[in-house]
Amino acid sequence: MSTRGLFTPITKVRRQVFTEVATHAYERDLATPDYSYFYESSYRIIPGEVAHYRDSVFKERAIIRERIRLAMSLPLRPADTHKSFTEGMSDVAVAEKCLDTPLVNVIPFACEACPTDHFKVTDNCRKCLAHPCTSVCPVKAVSIGKTRAIIDQDKCIKCGRCEQACPYHAIVRTGRPCAESCGAAAIDSDELGRAKINQDKCVACGMCIVSCPFAAITDKSEIYQVVTAIRLGYKVHAALAPAFVGQFGPLATPGKIIAGLKALGFSDVIEVGVGADIGTVMEAEEYLEKVPREHDFLGTSCCPAWESFARQTQPTLSACISASSTPMKATAHALKGQEPASVVVFIGPCIAKKLEALEPEVRPFVDFVLTFEELMGMFSAKNVDLAGLEEDQFRASASRDGRGYAVAGGVANAIKNCIAELDPERDVPIMKADSLFECKKMLSLAKAGKTSGYLLEGMACPGGCVGGPGTLMPIPRAGAAVNAFANDSQFKTSLANEAVLPER
Amino acid sequence: MGKLKVQVCAGTYCTMMGSMDIVAAIESLVDLKESIGFTCDIDLQVVPCTEQLCQKGAMAPVVRINEEIFLSAETETIMSRLLELAKNCQGESGAGASEK
Protein backbone atom coordinates (compact mmCIF):
# COMPACT_ATOMS: atom_id res chain seq x y z
CA MET A 1 0.00 0.00 0.00
CA SER A 2 1.02 3.55 -0.42
CA THR A 3 -0.33 7.03 -0.01
CA ARG A 4 -0.95 7.16 -3.76
CA GLY A 5 -4.57 7.81 -4.68
CA LEU A 6 -5.59 8.96 -1.19
CA PHE A 7 -6.22 12.53 -0.10
CA THR A 8 -3.71 13.21 2.67
CA PRO A 9 -2.21 16.37 4.23
CA ILE A 10 0.48 16.00 1.57
CA THR A 11 -2.04 16.28 -1.26
CA LYS A 12 -3.49 19.33 0.43
CA VAL A 13 -0.16 21.14 0.77
CA ARG A 14 0.79 20.34 -2.81
CA ARG A 15 -2.45 21.84 -4.13
CA GLN A 16 -2.16 24.88 -1.86
CA VAL A 17 1.28 25.56 -3.35
CA PHE A 18 -0.12 25.34 -6.90
CA THR A 19 -2.92 27.74 -5.96
CA GLU A 20 -0.48 30.25 -4.42
CA VAL A 21 1.79 30.18 -7.48
CA ALA A 22 -1.15 30.51 -9.89
CA THR A 23 -2.70 33.32 -7.84
CA HIS A 24 0.46 35.39 -7.98
CA ALA A 25 0.90 34.64 -11.68
CA TYR A 26 -2.58 35.96 -12.39
CA GLU A 27 -2.58 38.92 -10.03
CA ARG A 28 0.94 40.31 -10.11
CA ASP A 29 1.80 43.62 -11.73
CA LEU A 30 3.54 42.59 -14.94
CA ALA A 31 5.64 45.76 -15.02
CA THR A 32 7.16 45.59 -11.52
CA PRO A 33 8.81 42.41 -10.35
CA ASP A 34 7.86 41.81 -6.71
CA TYR A 35 7.87 38.34 -5.22
CA SER A 36 7.37 39.16 -1.54
CA TYR A 37 3.93 37.57 -1.92
CA PHE A 38 5.62 34.17 -1.83
CA TYR A 39 7.13 34.82 1.61
CA GLU A 40 3.57 35.29 2.85
CA SER A 41 2.48 32.12 1.01
CA SER A 42 4.46 29.96 3.37
CA TYR A 43 2.68 31.60 6.32
CA ARG A 44 -0.74 31.15 4.72
CA ILE A 45 -0.09 27.47 4.09
CA ILE A 46 1.58 26.91 7.48
CA PRO A 47 -0.17 29.35 9.87
CA GLY A 48 0.52 29.86 13.58
CA GLU A 49 3.53 29.11 15.73
CA VAL A 50 3.01 25.42 16.32
CA ALA A 51 4.25 22.78 13.90
CA HIS A 52 1.50 21.03 11.95
CA TYR A 53 3.14 17.99 10.44
CA ARG A 54 6.80 17.94 11.45
CA ASP A 55 8.96 18.90 14.42
CA SER A 56 9.26 22.58 13.60
CA VAL A 57 7.05 25.19 12.02
CA PHE A 58 10.14 26.89 10.59
CA LYS A 59 11.21 23.75 8.81
CA GLU A 60 7.69 23.31 7.46
CA ARG A 61 7.77 26.80 5.97
CA ALA A 62 11.27 26.27 4.58
CA ILE A 63 9.98 23.18 2.78
CA ILE A 64 7.02 25.14 1.40
CA ARG A 65 9.43 27.73 0.04
CA GLU A 66 11.39 25.05 -1.84
CA ARG A 67 8.13 23.64 -3.18
CA ILE A 68 7.20 27.12 -4.42
CA ARG A 69 10.53 27.44 -6.20
CA LEU A 70 10.06 24.09 -7.93
CA ALA A 71 6.47 25.02 -8.85
CA MET A 72 7.93 28.06 -10.64
CA SER A 73 10.36 25.81 -12.60
CA LEU A 74 13.28 27.04 -10.47
CA PRO A 75 15.95 24.68 -9.10
CA LEU A 76 16.22 23.81 -5.40
CA ARG A 77 18.56 25.94 -3.33
CA PRO A 78 21.63 24.40 -1.73
CA ALA A 79 21.10 23.98 2.03
CA ASP A 80 24.71 24.78 2.94
CA THR A 81 25.21 28.15 1.30
CA HIS A 82 23.19 31.34 1.32
CA LYS A 83 20.87 31.96 -1.57
CA SER A 84 17.83 34.20 -1.48
CA PHE A 85 14.46 32.46 -1.74
CA THR A 86 13.33 34.77 -4.52
CA GLU A 87 16.60 34.57 -6.49
CA GLY A 88 15.91 33.77 -10.12
CA MET A 89 12.18 34.44 -9.91
CA SER A 90 12.26 37.36 -12.34
CA ASP A 91 14.06 35.13 -14.86
CA VAL A 92 11.18 32.62 -14.86
CA ALA A 93 8.41 35.23 -14.89
CA VAL A 94 8.32 34.93 -18.67
CA ALA A 95 6.21 33.30 -21.36
CA GLU A 96 8.95 30.85 -22.33
CA LYS A 97 9.95 27.41 -21.21
CA CYS A 98 12.19 27.61 -18.14
CA LEU A 99 11.85 24.03 -16.98
CA ASP A 100 15.07 22.08 -17.04
CA THR A 101 16.28 18.77 -15.64
CA PRO A 102 16.31 17.41 -12.98
CA LEU A 103 12.53 17.31 -13.19
CA VAL A 104 11.87 15.13 -10.15
CA ASN A 105 13.62 16.39 -7.02
CA VAL A 106 14.06 15.20 -3.46
CA ILE A 107 13.96 18.17 -1.07
CA PRO A 108 16.84 16.84 1.03
CA PHE A 109 15.89 18.33 4.38
CA ALA A 110 12.29 17.12 4.01
CA CYS A 111 13.49 13.53 3.59
CA GLU A 112 13.41 11.45 6.78
CA ALA A 113 16.15 9.09 5.54
CA CYS A 114 13.98 6.00 5.97
CA PRO A 115 15.94 2.78 6.39
CA THR A 116 16.47 0.96 3.10
CA ASP A 117 14.98 -2.42 2.22
CA HIS A 118 15.42 -4.93 5.07
CA PHE A 119 13.72 -7.67 7.09
CA LYS A 120 12.70 -6.76 10.60
CA VAL A 121 11.45 -8.72 13.59
CA THR A 122 8.44 -6.96 15.13
CA ASP A 123 7.04 -7.34 18.63
CA ASN A 124 4.68 -10.00 17.31
CA CYS A 125 7.61 -12.35 17.96
CA ARG A 126 6.86 -14.71 20.88
CA LYS A 127 10.31 -16.25 21.03
CA CYS A 128 8.65 -19.57 20.34
CA LEU A 129 10.10 -22.99 20.95
CA ALA A 130 10.05 -23.99 17.32
CA HIS A 131 11.58 -20.74 16.04
CA PRO A 132 11.52 -21.92 12.41
CA CYS A 133 13.03 -18.59 11.41
CA THR A 134 16.48 -19.79 12.46
CA SER A 135 16.24 -23.19 10.78
CA VAL A 136 15.15 -21.90 7.38
CA CYS A 137 17.82 -19.20 7.14
CA PRO A 138 20.47 -20.35 4.68
CA VAL A 139 23.11 -17.91 5.97
CA LYS A 140 22.64 -18.13 9.75
CA ALA A 141 21.51 -14.52 9.94
CA VAL A 142 18.69 -15.20 12.42
CA SER A 143 19.39 -15.90 16.06
CA ILE A 144 17.23 -15.90 19.16
CA GLY A 145 17.91 -12.97 21.45
CA LYS A 146 16.76 -12.19 24.98
CA THR A 147 13.20 -11.23 24.04
CA ARG A 148 12.83 -12.05 20.38
CA ALA A 149 14.54 -13.21 17.21
CA ILE A 150 17.29 -10.99 15.86
CA ILE A 151 18.31 -10.61 12.22
CA ASP A 152 21.94 -9.81 11.52
CA GLN A 153 21.55 -7.31 8.70
CA ASP A 154 25.14 -7.79 7.53
CA LYS A 155 24.52 -11.48 6.91
CA CYS A 156 20.92 -11.29 5.64
CA ILE A 157 20.53 -11.94 1.90
CA LYS A 158 16.83 -10.95 1.86
CA CYS A 159 15.58 -14.34 0.69
CA GLY A 160 12.42 -13.93 2.77
CA ARG A 161 12.32 -17.50 4.09
CA CYS A 162 12.11 -16.44 7.75
CA GLU A 163 9.20 -14.17 6.94
CA GLN A 164 7.32 -17.08 5.36
CA ALA A 165 8.18 -19.52 8.15
CA CYS A 166 7.12 -17.40 11.13
CA PRO A 167 3.80 -18.65 12.58
CA TYR A 168 3.07 -15.19 14.12
CA HIS A 169 3.73 -12.99 11.08
CA ALA A 170 6.37 -11.36 13.22
CA ILE A 171 8.89 -10.78 10.45
CA VAL A 172 8.19 -8.08 7.90
CA ARG A 173 9.98 -6.68 4.94
CA THR A 174 10.09 -2.91 5.04
CA GLY A 175 11.94 -0.19 3.27
CA ARG A 176 11.62 3.18 1.65
CA PRO A 177 8.24 3.86 0.08
CA CYS A 178 9.94 5.92 -2.64
CA ALA A 179 12.30 3.10 -3.59
CA GLU A 180 9.52 0.51 -3.38
CA SER A 181 7.39 2.54 -5.76
CA CYS A 182 10.20 3.04 -8.25
CA GLY A 183 10.10 0.42 -11.00
CA ALA A 184 13.25 1.89 -12.54
CA ALA A 185 15.31 1.34 -9.34
CA ALA A 186 16.42 4.96 -9.53
CA ILE A 187 16.43 5.78 -5.80
CA ASP A 188 19.89 5.85 -4.22
CA SER A 189 21.07 7.45 -0.98
CA ASP A 190 23.14 10.56 -0.34
CA GLU A 191 25.94 10.72 2.23
CA LEU A 192 23.40 11.44 5.00
CA GLY A 193 21.27 8.42 4.12
CA ARG A 194 18.57 10.49 2.45
CA ALA A 195 16.92 9.49 -0.79
CA LYS A 196 18.71 10.69 -3.89
CA ILE A 197 17.41 10.18 -7.39
CA ASN A 198 19.72 8.65 -9.95
CA GLN A 199 18.77 10.92 -12.82
CA ASP A 200 20.31 8.56 -15.39
CA LYS A 201 17.77 5.89 -14.47
CA CYS A 202 14.76 8.08 -13.59
CA VAL A 203 12.08 8.16 -16.29
CA ALA A 204 9.93 10.64 -14.34
CA CYS A 205 6.94 8.33 -13.91
CA GLY A 206 6.26 10.28 -10.70
CA MET A 207 5.33 7.30 -8.54
CA CYS A 208 7.84 8.29 -5.83
CA ILE A 209 6.25 11.75 -5.63
CA VAL A 210 2.86 10.31 -4.72
CA SER A 211 4.30 7.51 -2.58
CA CYS A 212 6.60 9.43 -0.21
CA PRO A 213 4.73 9.71 3.12
CA PHE A 214 6.86 12.71 4.14
CA ALA A 215 6.22 14.81 1.05
CA ALA A 216 9.92 15.05 0.35
CA ILE A 217 9.76 14.53 -3.42
CA THR A 218 8.25 16.85 -5.96
CA ASP A 219 8.56 17.85 -9.59
CA LYS A 220 8.79 21.20 -11.31
CA SER A 221 5.78 22.97 -12.72
CA GLU A 222 5.12 25.44 -15.54
CA ILE A 223 2.03 27.12 -14.10
CA TYR A 224 3.78 30.47 -13.81
CA GLN A 225 4.98 30.57 -17.42
CA VAL A 226 1.62 29.40 -18.81
CA VAL A 227 -0.30 32.11 -16.96
CA THR A 228 2.29 34.69 -17.99
CA ALA A 229 1.84 33.68 -21.65
CA ILE A 230 -1.92 34.06 -21.30
CA ARG A 231 -1.58 37.45 -19.64
CA LEU A 232 0.88 38.72 -22.25
CA GLY A 233 -1.76 38.11 -24.90
CA TYR A 234 -0.41 35.02 -26.64
CA LYS A 235 -2.90 32.67 -28.23
CA VAL A 236 -2.60 29.82 -25.78
CA HIS A 237 -4.25 26.49 -26.66
CA ALA A 238 -5.01 23.77 -24.14
CA ALA A 239 -4.60 20.18 -25.34
CA LEU A 240 -6.52 17.98 -22.91
CA ALA A 241 -5.35 14.39 -22.40
CA PRO A 242 -7.99 11.62 -22.53
CA ALA A 243 -7.80 11.10 -18.74
CA PHE A 244 -9.31 14.56 -18.09
CA VAL A 245 -12.88 13.27 -17.84
CA GLY A 246 -14.23 13.32 -14.30
CA GLN A 247 -11.00 14.72 -12.83
CA PHE A 248 -12.61 17.92 -11.56
CA GLY A 249 -15.57 16.31 -9.85
CA PRO A 250 -18.80 14.71 -11.08
CA LEU A 251 -20.49 18.06 -11.75
CA ALA A 252 -17.67 19.31 -13.95
CA THR A 253 -18.69 17.65 -17.22
CA PRO A 254 -16.29 17.66 -20.18
CA GLY A 255 -18.22 20.61 -21.65
CA LYS A 256 -17.87 22.61 -18.45
CA ILE A 257 -14.16 21.85 -18.20
CA ILE A 258 -13.69 23.24 -21.71
CA ALA A 259 -15.62 26.36 -20.68
CA GLY A 260 -13.51 26.60 -17.53
CA LEU A 261 -10.28 26.54 -19.53
CA LYS A 262 -11.55 29.40 -21.65
CA ALA A 263 -12.43 31.29 -18.47
CA LEU A 264 -8.77 30.91 -17.48
CA GLY A 265 -7.76 32.63 -20.70
CA PHE A 266 -7.04 29.70 -23.03
CA SER A 267 -8.03 30.50 -26.62
CA ASP A 268 -9.09 27.01 -27.63
CA VAL A 269 -9.33 23.58 -26.08
CA ILE A 270 -8.38 20.50 -28.10
CA GLU A 271 -9.11 16.87 -27.31
CA VAL A 272 -5.84 14.92 -27.34
CA GLY A 273 -7.96 11.82 -27.98
CA VAL A 274 -7.92 12.97 -31.62
CA GLY A 275 -4.12 12.72 -31.52
CA ALA A 276 -4.59 9.27 -29.98
CA ASP A 277 -6.73 8.31 -32.98
CA ILE A 278 -3.98 9.49 -35.32
CA GLY A 279 -1.37 7.55 -33.30
CA THR A 280 -3.57 4.45 -33.31
CA VAL A 281 -3.76 4.37 -37.09
CA MET A 282 0.00 4.99 -37.40
CA GLU A 283 0.82 2.18 -34.98
CA ALA A 284 -1.65 -0.21 -36.61
CA GLU A 285 -0.06 0.45 -40.00
CA GLU A 286 3.40 0.11 -38.51
CA TYR A 287 2.42 -3.25 -37.00
CA LEU A 288 0.99 -4.56 -40.26
CA GLU A 289 4.01 -3.42 -42.21
CA LYS A 290 6.84 -4.46 -39.91
CA VAL A 291 5.72 -7.30 -37.64
CA PRO A 292 7.05 -9.96 -37.94
CA ARG A 293 9.21 -9.19 -41.01
CA GLU A 294 11.35 -6.38 -39.59
CA HIS A 295 10.48 -6.40 -35.92
CA ASP A 296 9.80 -9.34 -33.64
CA PHE A 297 6.97 -7.44 -31.94
CA LEU A 298 5.62 -3.91 -31.62
CA GLY A 299 5.60 -1.95 -28.35
CA THR A 300 3.28 1.03 -27.98
CA SER A 301 4.83 4.47 -27.71
CA CYS A 302 2.21 6.70 -26.05
CA CYS A 303 3.51 6.40 -22.47
CA PRO A 304 6.84 8.26 -22.36
CA ALA A 305 7.93 6.68 -19.06
CA TRP A 306 7.41 3.16 -20.45
CA GLU A 307 9.10 4.11 -23.70
CA SER A 308 12.24 5.55 -22.05
CA PHE A 309 12.32 2.66 -19.61
CA ALA A 310 12.18 0.10 -22.43
CA ARG A 311 14.86 1.88 -24.47
CA GLN A 312 17.14 2.32 -21.44
CA THR A 313 16.86 -1.15 -19.97
CA GLN A 314 16.63 -3.17 -23.19
CA PRO A 315 18.46 -1.14 -25.84
CA THR A 316 18.57 -4.11 -28.21
CA LEU A 317 14.76 -4.12 -28.37
CA SER A 318 14.61 -0.39 -29.02
CA ALA A 319 13.70 -0.81 -32.68
CA CYS A 320 10.60 -2.80 -31.74
CA ILE A 321 9.11 0.12 -29.79
CA SER A 322 6.88 2.10 -32.12
CA ALA A 323 8.40 5.16 -33.71
CA SER A 324 5.05 6.86 -34.27
CA SER A 325 4.10 10.11 -32.56
CA THR A 326 2.59 10.11 -29.10
CA PRO A 327 -0.95 11.53 -28.91
CA MET A 328 0.55 14.66 -27.34
CA LYS A 329 3.00 15.21 -30.17
CA ALA A 330 0.46 14.36 -32.90
CA THR A 331 -2.01 16.85 -31.45
CA ALA A 332 0.55 19.60 -30.95
CA HIS A 333 2.03 19.01 -34.39
CA ALA A 334 -1.38 19.49 -36.03
CA LEU A 335 -2.05 22.63 -33.98
CA LYS A 336 1.27 24.26 -34.79
CA GLY A 337 0.71 23.43 -38.44
CA GLN A 338 -2.50 25.45 -38.41
CA GLU A 339 -1.24 28.28 -36.19
CA PRO A 340 2.55 28.42 -35.92
CA ALA A 341 2.47 31.43 -33.58
CA SER A 342 0.19 29.80 -31.03
CA VAL A 343 1.34 28.43 -27.69
CA VAL A 344 0.43 24.79 -27.03
CA VAL A 345 -0.08 23.57 -23.48
CA PHE A 346 -0.57 19.85 -22.94
CA ILE A 347 -2.66 19.16 -19.84
CA GLY A 348 -2.64 15.62 -18.51
CA PRO A 349 -2.23 13.26 -15.56
CA CYS A 350 1.42 12.73 -16.35
CA ILE A 351 4.77 14.01 -15.15
CA ALA A 352 6.85 12.06 -17.68
CA LYS A 353 5.22 14.19 -20.41
CA LYS A 354 7.17 17.15 -18.99
CA LEU A 355 10.35 15.26 -19.82
CA GLU A 356 9.04 14.20 -23.23
CA ALA A 357 8.36 17.86 -24.03
CA LEU A 358 12.07 18.60 -23.51
CA GLU A 359 13.09 16.18 -26.27
CA PRO A 360 14.41 18.00 -29.34
CA GLU A 361 11.80 16.45 -31.68
CA VAL A 362 8.88 17.37 -29.40
CA ARG A 363 9.97 20.73 -28.03
CA PRO A 364 9.12 22.76 -31.17
CA PHE A 365 5.48 21.67 -30.90
CA VAL A 366 4.67 21.44 -27.21
CA ASP A 367 5.41 24.67 -25.35
CA PHE A 368 4.33 23.68 -21.85
CA VAL A 369 2.99 20.70 -19.92
CA LEU A 370 0.65 20.94 -16.92
CA THR A 371 -0.97 18.26 -14.77
CA PHE A 372 -4.66 18.20 -13.87
CA GLU A 373 -3.68 18.99 -10.31
CA GLU A 374 -1.77 22.08 -11.43
CA LEU A 375 -4.73 23.12 -13.59
CA MET A 376 -6.97 22.77 -10.56
CA GLY A 377 -4.66 25.25 -8.79
CA MET A 378 -5.35 27.68 -11.65
CA PHE A 379 -9.14 27.18 -11.41
CA SER A 380 -8.87 27.79 -7.71
CA ALA A 381 -6.72 30.91 -8.14
CA LYS A 382 -9.16 32.41 -10.62
CA ASN A 383 -12.19 31.29 -8.60
CA VAL A 384 -13.68 29.43 -11.58
CA ASP A 385 -16.61 27.35 -10.38
CA LEU A 386 -16.83 24.72 -13.11
CA ALA A 387 -20.24 23.33 -12.17
CA GLY A 388 -21.84 26.74 -12.71
CA LEU A 389 -20.55 27.27 -16.27
CA GLU A 390 -22.36 26.83 -19.59
CA GLU A 391 -21.35 23.71 -21.52
CA ASP A 392 -18.86 24.27 -24.34
CA GLN A 393 -17.50 21.73 -26.81
CA PHE A 394 -14.41 20.53 -28.65
CA ARG A 395 -14.02 21.55 -32.30
CA ALA A 396 -13.23 17.95 -33.24
CA SER A 397 -14.13 14.85 -31.26
CA ALA A 398 -12.06 11.76 -30.60
CA SER A 399 -13.41 8.27 -31.18
CA ARG A 400 -14.45 5.86 -28.45
CA ASP A 401 -11.14 4.03 -28.86
CA GLY A 402 -9.06 7.23 -28.79
CA ARG A 403 -10.77 8.31 -25.59
CA GLY A 404 -10.12 4.87 -24.14
CA TYR A 405 -6.34 5.49 -24.15
CA ALA A 406 -6.58 6.79 -20.58
CA VAL A 407 -7.33 3.41 -19.04
CA ALA A 408 -4.92 0.44 -18.98
CA GLY A 409 -5.68 -1.83 -21.90
CA GLY A 410 -7.25 0.96 -23.94
CA VAL A 411 -4.28 1.60 -26.21
CA ALA A 412 -3.87 -2.02 -27.28
CA ASN A 413 -7.63 -2.27 -27.72
CA ALA A 414 -7.71 0.75 -30.04
CA ILE A 415 -4.82 -0.56 -32.16
CA LYS A 416 -6.28 -4.07 -32.30
CA ASN A 417 -9.63 -2.69 -33.49
CA CYS A 418 -7.86 -0.61 -36.11
CA ILE A 419 -5.84 -3.59 -37.38
CA ALA A 420 -9.05 -5.64 -37.58
CA GLU A 421 -10.47 -2.97 -39.91
CA LEU A 422 -7.35 -2.64 -42.05
CA ASP A 423 -6.64 -6.36 -42.34
CA PRO A 424 -9.44 -8.58 -40.99
CA GLU A 425 -7.32 -11.69 -41.60
CA ARG A 426 -4.63 -10.71 -39.11
CA ASP A 427 -4.77 -12.07 -35.60
CA VAL A 428 -3.08 -9.81 -33.05
CA PRO A 429 -1.90 -11.38 -29.80
CA ILE A 430 -1.68 -8.78 -27.05
CA MET A 431 0.32 -8.49 -23.86
CA LYS A 432 -0.22 -5.62 -21.40
CA ALA A 433 1.68 -4.23 -18.46
CA ASP A 434 0.73 -1.35 -16.18
CA SER A 435 3.46 -0.29 -13.73
CA LEU A 436 7.17 -0.28 -14.48
CA PHE A 437 7.57 -3.49 -12.45
CA GLU A 438 5.17 -5.25 -14.80
CA CYS A 439 6.81 -3.58 -17.79
CA LYS A 440 10.16 -4.96 -16.66
CA LYS A 441 8.75 -8.51 -16.61
CA MET A 442 7.15 -8.02 -20.01
CA LEU A 443 10.46 -6.80 -21.44
CA SER A 444 12.25 -9.86 -20.09
CA LEU A 445 9.75 -12.07 -21.91
CA ALA A 446 10.28 -10.01 -25.05
CA LYS A 447 14.04 -10.34 -24.69
CA ALA A 448 13.65 -14.10 -24.39
CA GLY A 449 11.74 -14.11 -27.66
CA LYS A 450 8.44 -15.09 -26.09
CA THR A 451 6.44 -12.23 -27.54
CA SER A 452 6.97 -12.86 -31.24
CA GLY A 453 4.24 -11.25 -33.28
CA TYR A 454 2.76 -9.56 -30.20
CA LEU A 455 1.50 -6.07 -29.66
CA LEU A 456 2.87 -4.94 -26.28
CA GLU A 457 1.07 -2.22 -24.38
CA GLY A 458 3.27 -0.60 -21.78
CA MET A 459 2.07 1.90 -19.19
CA ALA A 460 4.08 3.14 -16.23
CA CYS A 461 1.14 3.96 -13.99
CA PRO A 462 -0.91 1.20 -12.36
CA GLY A 463 -4.38 1.45 -13.89
CA GLY A 464 -3.11 3.48 -16.83
CA CYS A 465 -3.16 7.28 -17.21
CA VAL A 466 -6.18 7.66 -14.89
CA GLY A 467 -3.81 6.45 -12.18
CA GLY A 468 -1.19 9.07 -13.02
CA PRO A 469 0.57 11.17 -10.38
CA GLY A 470 -1.03 14.43 -11.57
CA THR A 471 -4.64 13.32 -11.09
CA LEU A 472 -7.26 14.36 -8.55
CA MET A 473 -9.86 11.59 -8.56
CA PRO A 474 -9.82 8.13 -6.99
CA ILE A 475 -8.80 5.74 -9.81
CA PRO A 476 -11.97 3.57 -10.17
CA ARG A 477 -14.13 6.71 -10.25
CA ALA A 478 -11.95 8.27 -12.94
CA GLY A 479 -11.89 5.10 -15.04
CA ALA A 480 -15.68 4.88 -15.02
CA ALA A 481 -16.01 8.53 -16.09
CA VAL A 482 -13.55 8.02 -18.96
CA ASN A 483 -15.40 4.93 -20.19
CA ALA A 484 -18.77 6.69 -20.10
CA PHE A 485 -17.39 9.59 -22.14
CA ALA A 486 -15.75 7.16 -24.59
CA ASN A 487 -19.00 5.31 -25.21
CA ASP A 488 -20.62 8.66 -25.84
CA SER A 489 -18.48 9.33 -28.93
CA GLN A 490 -20.12 9.36 -32.34
CA PHE A 491 -17.14 7.41 -33.77
CA LYS A 492 -16.43 3.92 -32.53
CA THR A 493 -12.92 3.29 -33.78
CA SER A 494 -9.95 5.53 -34.55
CA LEU A 495 -10.25 4.80 -38.25
CA ALA A 496 -13.88 5.92 -38.26
CA ASN A 497 -12.91 9.34 -36.94
CA GLU A 498 -13.14 11.84 -39.81
CA ALA A 499 -10.71 14.16 -38.01
CA VAL A 500 -7.99 11.56 -38.63
CA LEU A 501 -8.35 11.68 -42.43
CA PRO A 502 -6.44 14.89 -43.20
CA GLU A 503 -3.49 13.56 -41.18
CA ARG A 504 -3.19 10.39 -43.26
CA MET B 1 -35.36 2.38 9.21
CA GLY B 2 -33.82 5.83 9.60
CA LYS B 3 -32.31 7.85 6.85
CA LEU B 4 -29.30 10.11 6.83
CA LYS B 5 -29.06 12.87 4.29
CA VAL B 6 -25.46 13.60 3.40
CA GLN B 7 -24.54 16.40 1.05
CA VAL B 8 -20.96 16.73 -0.20
CA CYS B 9 -19.96 19.88 -2.07
CA ALA B 10 -18.45 19.35 -5.52
CA GLY B 11 -17.52 22.96 -6.13
CA THR B 12 -14.01 23.75 -7.38
CA TYR B 13 -12.46 24.43 -3.96
CA CYS B 14 -14.08 21.46 -2.26
CA THR B 15 -13.18 19.08 -5.08
CA MET B 16 -9.61 20.32 -4.96
CA MET B 17 -9.50 19.73 -1.22
CA GLY B 18 -10.63 16.13 -1.53
CA SER B 19 -14.42 16.13 -1.31
CA MET B 20 -14.66 13.22 -3.75
CA ASP B 21 -12.40 11.20 -1.49
CA ILE B 22 -14.97 11.80 1.25
CA VAL B 23 -17.67 10.52 -1.11
CA ALA B 24 -15.57 7.42 -1.78
CA ALA B 25 -15.11 6.93 1.98
CA ILE B 26 -18.85 7.19 2.64
CA GLU B 27 -19.58 4.73 -0.15
CA SER B 28 -16.99 2.38 1.31
CA LEU B 29 -19.08 2.18 4.52
CA VAL B 30 -21.57 0.07 2.61
CA ASP B 31 -19.02 -2.75 2.46
CA LEU B 32 -18.70 -2.64 6.24
CA LYS B 33 -22.43 -2.47 6.85
CA GLU B 34 -22.69 -5.84 8.53
CA SER B 35 -19.62 -5.61 10.71
CA ILE B 36 -20.61 -2.21 12.10
CA GLY B 37 -24.33 -2.92 12.48
CA PHE B 38 -25.20 -0.08 10.16
CA THR B 39 -28.86 -0.26 9.24
CA CYS B 40 -29.42 3.34 8.21
CA ASP B 41 -30.00 4.33 4.64
CA ILE B 42 -27.61 7.01 3.49
CA ASP B 43 -28.97 9.44 0.96
CA LEU B 44 -25.67 10.64 -0.47
CA GLN B 45 -25.83 13.71 -2.67
CA VAL B 46 -23.08 15.49 -4.54
CA VAL B 47 -24.14 19.12 -4.65
CA PRO B 48 -22.89 22.28 -6.39
CA CYS B 49 -21.41 25.15 -4.43
CA THR B 50 -24.24 27.48 -3.49
CA GLU B 51 -23.44 29.22 -0.24
CA GLN B 52 -19.63 29.53 -0.49
CA LEU B 53 -19.33 28.29 3.06
CA CYS B 54 -15.71 27.33 2.35
CA GLN B 55 -14.64 30.99 2.20
CA LYS B 56 -12.75 30.69 -1.07
CA GLY B 57 -11.26 27.38 -0.16
CA ALA B 58 -9.97 28.24 3.31
CA MET B 59 -12.58 25.98 4.93
CA ALA B 60 -12.99 23.42 2.13
CA PRO B 61 -14.30 20.79 1.82
CA VAL B 62 -17.83 21.34 3.10
CA VAL B 63 -20.09 18.44 4.08
CA ARG B 64 -23.60 18.58 5.49
CA ILE B 65 -25.13 15.69 7.41
CA ASN B 66 -28.86 16.37 7.86
CA GLU B 67 -28.63 19.99 9.07
CA GLU B 68 -25.19 19.76 10.62
CA ILE B 69 -22.42 21.50 8.66
CA PHE B 70 -18.81 20.33 8.65
CA LEU B 71 -16.13 22.74 7.47
CA SER B 72 -12.61 21.58 6.51
CA ALA B 73 -14.16 18.12 6.57
CA GLU B 74 -11.94 15.06 6.73
CA THR B 75 -12.86 11.48 5.90
CA GLU B 76 -12.24 10.24 9.44
CA THR B 77 -14.50 12.86 11.07
CA ILE B 78 -17.30 12.32 8.58
CA MET B 79 -17.21 8.54 8.80
CA SER B 80 -17.19 8.50 12.60
CA ARG B 81 -20.03 11.04 12.79
CA LEU B 82 -22.07 8.92 10.39
CA LEU B 83 -21.53 5.86 12.56
CA GLU B 84 -22.65 7.76 15.67
CA LEU B 85 -25.80 8.91 13.92
CA ALA B 86 -26.43 5.47 12.50
CA LYS B 87 -26.65 4.08 16.03
CA ASN B 88 -29.25 6.67 16.99
CA CYS B 89 -31.41 6.05 13.98
CA GLN B 90 -31.38 2.35 14.80
CA GLY B 91 -32.93 3.33 18.16
CA GLU B 92 -35.62 5.42 16.51
CA SER B 93 -36.66 2.64 14.20
CA GLY B 94 -36.91 0.27 17.14
CA ALA B 95 -34.19 -2.10 16.07
CA GLY B 96 -31.85 -1.09 18.87
CA ALA B 97 -34.58 -0.23 21.40
CA SER B 98 -33.84 -3.16 23.69
CA GLU B 99 -30.36 -1.87 24.40
CA LYS B 100 -30.64 0.64 27.25
Side-chain angles (χ1 to χ4, degrees), chain A residues 387-447:
Chain A
L389 300 175
E390 288 282 325
E391 298 261 344
D392 202 333
Q393 56 186 22
F394 290 121
R395 255 188 303 167
S397 297
S399 73
R400 177 198 64 196
D401 287 357
R403 287 176 178 174
Y405 260 58
V407 182
V411 179
N413 180 58
I415 299 170
K416 188 186 168 90
N417 287 347
C418 186
I419 293 171
E421 283 174 304
L422 292 171
D423 183 357
E425 302 294 298
R426 269 302 274 276
D427 182 42
V428 192
I430 285 172
M431 195 179 285
K432 292 175 281 196
D434 60 331
S435 87
L436 288 180
F437 296 99
E438 294 295 316
C439 289
K440 191 177 175 184
K441 288 184 204 160
M442 187 165 77
L443 286 167
S444 309
L445 289 174
K447 185 87 191 279

Side-chain angles (χ1 to χ4, degrees), chain A residues 5 7 12 15-16 19 248-251 376 379-380 383-386 473-474 477, chain B residues 10-13 15-18 20-21 23-24 27 46-49 52 56 60:
Chain A
F7 188 88
K12 183 174 171 181
R15 293 178 189 173
Q16 284 175 314
T19 304
F248 305 92
L251 304 179
M376 194 56 153
F379 285 136
S380 165
N383 193 6
V384 175
D385 186 41
L386 295 166
M473 279 303 122
R477 200 166 277 272
Chain B
T12 293
Y13 296 122
T15 303
M16 182 170 83
M17 286 306 161
M20 289 312 115
D21 295 78
V23 169
E27 285 170 347
V46 174
V47 298
C49 176
Q52 310 236 327
K56 287 199 164 185

